[in-house]
Amino acid sequence: MVDPVLILLVGVIVVVGGIIGFKLHPFLALLLAALTVALLTPTELVQQYFIGKGMSEAEALKQAHKSIGERIAAEFGNTCTKIGILIAMAAIIGKAMLDSGAAEKIVRAMLRMTGVKNAPIGFILSSFFLTIPVFVDTVIFLMMPLAKAMGLRLGKNYLLLALSVIAGAVMANSYVPPSPGPLFLVGALNVPIGLMMVCGVLLGLCTITVGYLMAIFLNKKIPIPLRDSPDARLDDIRAIAEKDDNELPSLGWALLPAAFPLTTICIRSAIEAFHKSGTPISSSAIINTMLEVLLFFGDKNIALLTGGIFALLVLASQKKTTKDKLTAFVQTALMSGGGIILITAAGGAFGGMLQQSGISARIADLTKGYQMALIPLAFFISMVVRTAQGSATVALITASGILAGMAQNANLGFHPVYLCLAIGSGAKLVPWMNDAGFWIMCKTSNLTEKEALQTIAPMQSLMGITGGVLTMLAAWLFPLV
């Protein structure tokens, strides 16, 4: 039987060699890698993967005997289910906010608050706190147009602004409930959610500080300009930047396309995190009805769809455009978003095939008997699984599954919250081409694959390492037991 580690190495060679060596489009390279991994994976490993997901042996065998094309398409579709509408609507919101002047209005307001020098700090803190209740992808989609507008206005430091958005978002996604990963960890390791929120925010602020310093260094070392793209032509952004303030939409209208989805998603996340489903939210029928409406609009897909409608309304009122021009505008935005969806879904298919190869279970077996302290072990397992198959969620689940029993040990010597933080830190290493999130960050920021590997990957990895080291230090100084 082929070792899953060997399958992983072959998949890595196909992706990296295809994109960098043969200059293949990432979509094709990722699909070829997914096909290669699937061809090398024995049916027995695929069956074991589905059994591990809770299927019966008969059902798992049925899934394992599906054709390779069906399995790749299923994982491709699963990724589209998660991000397809989000990316499409975010593309419309982003382009509409740029073209209508809404992004420029927000940038001017932020500059008045932070000053030019501290603008990147405003970006990194905003993305960090927004990602606590909102999905990381959504925050990146909504804030990257602001980074582009700010970068053009300043005439420099675009990479610093883009990396600031990414740094704040990815770290909140690892540490602070009700983000899905941390929320899973507190349940698996029986950690109080309030304690995880406090510790996660404190550790997150420390790690994004390191990320910010790294972003400053990378911005000086690898100066990357803001480039033209189909959804954000520099001449168009420059023309808007030269407008008088009274020619731009009001700040309230400018904020609405982004603020509405963020607010409703926040409310839904808060209710779902602290309220038991199936029971009335309050004793008042009117309040319950209002909250039900908010919950409806707080669904991430509905929220982004509504935000897209608001963005188009702002654009139409600002430019007095015709229906035909508005249709052409949406078509251009969707063409840009469609390319991101295809690449991201192909990355999801590649990652899915790696998961079906049994790489997570193989890594779990390799590390189960390894004698080392629990916090470094938690970090190490999460890091290796994340790097191997791309999914931070799978890394969290694998590491917590291995360590859950040990975390309940009365003689642990420190609070299990530190294991959660170590697992979250390890899940930040190493983002590369088997990760759907890598492609979202790469394409929304208009970086090339090489540039993303030179900037996003080392910054995120350094923040993860910093989080692991600080977690070990805090567990030693403040064991909380």
Side-chain angles (χ1 to χ4, degrees), residues 250-386:
S250 67
L251 184 59
W253 273 106
L255 286 168
L256 186 61
F260 180 85
L262 289 171
T263 302
T264 53
I265 292 172
C266 284
I267 293 171
R268 182 183 174 106
S269 297
I271 292 174
E272 288 180 344
F274 301 106
H275 175 73
K276 293 181 179 179
S277 60
T279 59
I281 299 173
S282 77
S283 57
S284 170
I286 296 175
I287 293 177
N288 285 338
T289 301
M290 292 173 61
L291 289 175
E292 286 295 332
V293 172
L294 285 173
L295 286 173
F296 171 78
F297 283 104
D299 174 88
K300 59 182 180 180
N301 294 306
I302 301 296
L304 266 292
L305 173 61
T306 310
I309 293 171
F310 285 141
L312 291 175
L313 288 174
V314 173
L315 177 68
S317 64
Q318 195 66 26
K319 287 203 165 187
K320 311 297 183 186
T321 187
T322 64
K323 293 179 181 178
D324 289 342
K325 288 183 178 179
L326 201 60
T327 301
F329 168 89
V330 173
Q331 175 70 14
T332 302
L334 290 178
M335 286 175 64
S336 171
I340 299 174
I341 292 171
L342 288 173
I343 294 171
T344 304
F350 176 44
M353 292 303 101
L354 283 173
Q355 291 174 37
Q356 291 182 22
S357 74
I359 186 65
S360 297
R362 177 70 172 130
I363 291 169
D365 288 339
L366 289 172
T367 56
K368 188 177 294 184
Y370 200 69
Q371 298 302 312
M372 62 194 316
L374 280 185
I375 291 177
L377 178 63
F379 178 89
F380 177 75
I381 294 171
S382 181
M383 175 193 71
V384 174
V385 175
R386 164 64 194 274

Side-chain angles (χ1 to χ4, degrees), residues 66-85:
K66 284 186 175 181
S67 70
I68 287 174
E70 282 183 293
R71 289 195 281 120
I72 292 174
E75 293 297 333
F76 185 93
N78 289 339
T79 307
C80 282
T81 299
K82 297 174 184 175
I83 52 86
I85 293 176

Side-chain angles (χ1 to χ4, degrees), residues 15-134:
V15 172
V16 178
I19 294 174
I20 297 177
F22 291 95
K23 307 298 181 185
L24 284 178
H25 190 281
F27 175 74
L28 292 177
L30 289 163
L31 281 186
L32 284 174
L35 176 62
T36 303
V37 169
L39 286 169
L40 292 174
T41 303
T43 304
E44 294 81 2
L45 290 178
V46 180
Q47 184 182 4
Q48 287 300 316
Y49 166 79
F50 284 110
I51 290 174
K53 291 181 72 70
M55 292 186 181
S56 65
E57 286 196 23
E59 183 63 26
L61 185 63
K62 181 180 177 182
Q63 292 292 327
H65 277 93
K66 284 186 175 181
S67 70
I68 287 174
E70 282 183 293
R71 289 195 281 120
I72 292 174
E75 293 297 333
F76 185 93
N78 289 339
T79 307
C80 282
T81 299
K82 297 174 184 175
I83 52 86
I85 293 176
L86 294 180
I87 293 178
M89 297 315 303
I92 292 174
I93 293 172
K95 183 168 173 56
M97 288 181 69
L98 285 170
D99 286 16
S100 67
E104 175 65 22
K105 186 74 173 187
I106 295 170
V107 163
R108 292 183 187 184
M110 185 179 289
L111 281 175
R112 284 195 291 269
M113 292 175 60
T114 65
V116 173
K117 185 178 180 181
N118 295 323
I121 296 177
F123 272 84
I124 198 168
L125 290 174
S126 298
S127 66
F128 178 80
F129 286 106
L130 286 174
T131 306
I132 292 173
V134 181

